[in-house]
């Protein structure tokens, strides 16, 4: 709410939020990224409190996407719902689910990454193919606000970018060498581990983003 979000709905344990509707706000992509980072920061504090009380860990994944959508009251005479619909909404949901494959917590689409350039620190992870479409799009991890990356994170991002370029040139040995260097810096870096596994098995095809609605419980 503090970043101007409209809570659209709850779906199971998921929260769907809109930035820029019903009231137009400036920098809605930046606000969404800032809200996502704040959510993850608060969850770390909450997880620490849970750990002290012997409770299970708590985590969440976030997918953000910027697009032109149909927004308004949809439904019938019996029931209407204020929401947004369109391919861009579906991509946001798939990005949320794709965090699991990349070992990340916040993923954004290319238009969001473009709009927050210079304000939010992002890392391009890979090209993905959306389920049911031939289109291949790049996906990005939100890492921090501008200027807030540690030297270690800066080095990690640089090594990963070099590895991804080598991977795209189908040079798995060089990609693996760079990824190993990245993992020496951050042994549990999810994207590096994921790309390292693909490099080992020479999986050249783009990652496929499954439809989270059709794969509930899997």
């Amino acid at each position: 709410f503090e970043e101007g979000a409209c809570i659209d709905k709850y779906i199971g344990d998921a929260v769907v939020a809109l930035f820029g509707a019903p009231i137009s706000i400036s920098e809605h992509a930046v606000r969404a990224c800032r809200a996502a980072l704040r959510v993850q920061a608060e969850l770390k504090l909450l997880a620490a409190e849970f750990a002290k009380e012997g409770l299970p860990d708590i985590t969440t994944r976030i997918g953000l996407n910027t697009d032109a959508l149909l927004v308004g009251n949809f439904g019938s005479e019996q029931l209407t719902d204020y929401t947004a619909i369109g391919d861009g909404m579906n991509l946001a949901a798939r990005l949320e689910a794709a965090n699991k494959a990349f070992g990340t917590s916040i993923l954004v689409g290319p238009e969001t990454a473009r709009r927050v350039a210079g304000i939010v620190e992002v890392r391009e992870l890979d090209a993905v193919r959306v389920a049911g479409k031939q289109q291949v799009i790049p996906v990005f991890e939100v890492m921090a606000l501008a200027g807030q990356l540690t030297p270690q994170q800066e080095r990690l991002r640089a090594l990963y970018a070099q590895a991804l370029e080598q991977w795209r040139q189908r040079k798995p040995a060089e990609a693996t060498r760079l990824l190993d260097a990245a993992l020496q810096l951050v042994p549990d870096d999810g994207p590096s581990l994921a790309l390292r596994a693909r490099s080992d098995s020479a999986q050249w095809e783009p990652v496929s983003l499954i439809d989270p609605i059709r794969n509930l419980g899997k």
Side-chain angles (χ1 to χ4, degrees):
F1 289 130
E2 291 174 5
E3 295 294 346
C6 167
I7 302 300
D8 176 31
K9 62 172 66 72
Y10 297 92
I11 305 175
D13 61 353
V15 180
V16 182
L18 307 177
F19 292 81
I23 299 173
S24 178
I25 57 175
S26 63
E27 298 183 323
H28 48 79
V30 173
R31 285 172 175 255
C33 289
R34 195 160 55 211
L37 287 167
R38 291 180 64 185
V39 164
Q40 295 297 358
E42 289 294 330
L43 278 174
K44 285 183 179 179
L45 296 176
L46 188 59
E49 291 181 14
F50 277 25
K52 290 178 182 178
E53 298 179 19
L55 298 172
D57 193 14
I58 180 170
T59 59
T60 193
R61 298 184 291 265
I62 299 173
L64 303 174
N65 191 45
T66 306
D67 204 350
L69 301 169
L70 291 173
V71 184
N73 292 312
F74 297 92
S76 65
E77 292 181 358
Q78 288 76 32
L79 179 66
T80 59
D81 182 30
Y82 182 85
T83 190
I85 60 174
D87 280 349
M89 195 76 162
N90 297 336
L91 179 55
R94 287 166 178 157
L95 288 171
E96 181 276 323
N99 277 291
K100 192 171 183 179
F102 287 107
T104 52
S105 59
I106 309 172
L107 285 183
V108 302
E111 180 61 17
T112 305
R114 184 187 71 81
R115 288 179 180 242
V116 303
I119 304 172
V120 177
E121 303 283 4
V122 301
R123 166 169 54 157
E124 183 177 357
L125 297 185
D126 204 348
V128 301
R129 177 170 287 116
V130 178
K133 296 182 179 294
Q134 293 302 311
Q135 179 186 17
V136 175
I137 63 168
V139 294
F140 302 79
E141 177 192 15
V142 171
M143 301 179 72
L145 295 179
Q148 294 185 5
L149 287 182
T150 65
Q152 183 187 53
Q153 288 175 312
E154 290 274 14
R155 179 63 177 153
L156 174 68
R157 182 169 63 176
L159 285 168
Y160 187 89
Q162 295 170 36
L164 182 61
E165 180 60 28
Q166 293 300 311
W167 168 252
R168 287 173 171 169
Q169 293 180 25
R170 298 203 173 190
K171 298 178 180 178
E174 184 60 18
T176 295
R177 183 187 69 80
L178 291 162
L179 290 167
D180 285 344
L183 289 166
Q184 285 183 348
L185 278 177
V186 184
D188 62 347
D189 181 55
S192 295
L193 289 168
L195 190 57
R196 180 72 163 73
R198 295 184 67 208
S199 181
D200 287 345
S201 57
Q203 295 178 22
W204 305 112
E205 287 297 311
V207 175
S208 294
L209 297 191
I210 61 173
D211 186 337
I213 301 301
R214 295 179 182 175
N215 288 272
L216 289 174
K218 293 186 178 180

